Amino acid sequence: MDDNHGESIEFQEISNDSQLTDMVRNSFRIPLTSKENYSVSIDNVSHSLVDIGNTGIALELTRDMNLMVGDKIVGCRLVLGDETVENLEGEVVHLSPGRELRRICGIRWLEPEASAVQTIDSRVLALRKELLENNGASTEQRAGAIENDG
């Protein structure tokens, strides 16, 4: 998988019997730039997601959005493919440089209901598995291509 700077990130699944499982980060963001129907509505305006994690999201701010770190956002509607989570409350936790002079806004969910947590966690887990499977396939394809060239 390539990031915006052309650098490659390789993922490897760690088996449950590994001694490293206690040191593995359990919460990380899944990129969604190529996914359709993953969005968040803030003030009834829909925004595509840049990435998602178990506890929050990132989106690219439009020029007319004036959010600052620490701002509270209420009544968010999160669309995750064919599932929707309503009435989320979040806090802006970071603003970072994005593409074309835009900013990336990180939002952490504040006290989501148990059903919302369950929906988000299950979708993030499914996306993580998909990402690992796709990355594994492309690694195998690259290895096959190298063998065929030799």
Side-chain angles (χ1 to χ4, degrees):
M1 178 172 107
D2 290 334
D3 66 6
N4 290 339
H5 303 289
E7 297 178 13
S8 179
I9 301 171
E10 296 294 329
F11 293 95
Q12 291 182 339
E13 193 165 4
I14 298 175
S15 65
N16 290 336
D17 61 335
S18 172
Q19 293 177 348
L20 297 176
T21 54
D22 290 338
M23 299 183 328
V24 173
R25 183 175 174 178
N26 290 321
S27 179
F28 58 93
R29 297 182 305 234
I30 307 296
L32 294 173
T33 51
S34 63
K35 294 277 187 194
E36 292 184 25
N37 205 23
Y38 282 78
S39 63
V40 64
S41 291
I42 300 172
D43 294 329
N44 295 318
V45 177
S46 182
H47 306 275
S48 295
L49 299 181
V50 172
D51 60 45
I52 187 170
N54 295 79
T55 60
I57 58 167
L59 62 120
E60 193 171 68
L61 293 178
T62 58
R63 297 191 198 287
D64 58 336
M65 291 183 72
N66 293 317
L67 294 175
M68 301 298 292
V69 172
D71 284 354
K72 302 285 191 273
I73 304 167
V74 296
C76 295
R77 180 175 187 260
L78 184 63
V79 176
L80 303 172
D82 59 353
E83 298 180 277
T84 303
V85 180
E86 302 279 350
N87 294 319
L88 287 166
E89 181 178 333
E91 177 183 14
V92 176
V93 292
H94 76 80
L95 296 169
S96 307
R99 302 176 295 134
E100 302 173 10
L101 301 176
R102 294 187 183 171
R103 295 179 298 161
I104 303 295
C105 175
I107 298 174
R108 177 182 48 143
W109 303 126
L110 301 173
E111 301 180 26
E113 293 180 9
S115 61
V117 170
Q118 184 178 4
T119 300
I120 294 168
D121 285 353
S122 67
R123 186 51 60 122
V124 169
L125 179 61
L127 288 165
R128 183 169 77 179
K129 285 180 181 180
E130 180 183 314
L131 180 66
L132 290 171
E133 287 171 3
N134 288 344
N135 187 53
S138 44
T139 301
E140 291 170 12
Q141 289 169 349
R142 286 193 298 266
I146 292 170
E147 289 175 9
N148 291 334
D149 286 344

